[in-house]
Amino acid sequence: MQYKPQGVCSQMIDFEIQDNKVRNVKFLGGCSGNLQGIASLIEGMDTSEAIARIEGIKCGFKKTSCPDQLAQALKKATGN
């Protein structure tokens, strides 16, 4: 699935959900090292656990962050 994040530096988030597990997360733009780390940490994680861990994280003065936007994408993809 592709998701266009709002209010953050990354321009696109690509990911898959297989058997309710997060797979193959890739960010276009944003802080490359941090986003690769996040993608690696949630690889294979249950979608609801990933959402619970990363939803609500803020970046500086922004009301959201790339991890929070990933949580929003996962929620949209799973209908939560």
Side-chain angles (χ1 to χ4, degrees), residues 10 22-23 30 41 61 65-66 76 78:
S10 63
V22 182
R23 302 280 184 206
L41 288 169
F61 298 109
S65 66
C66 292
K76 182 177 180 181
T78 59

Side-chain angles (χ1 to χ4, degrees), residues 12-31:
M12 189 67 65
I13 305 172
D14 289 311
F15 63 95
E16 298 173 14
I17 297 175
Q18 298 171 349
D19 298 323
N20 206 40
K21 306 285 184 193
V22 182
R23 302 280 184 206
N24 302 316
V25 176
K26 292 182 178 54
F27 289 84
L28 175 63
C31 303

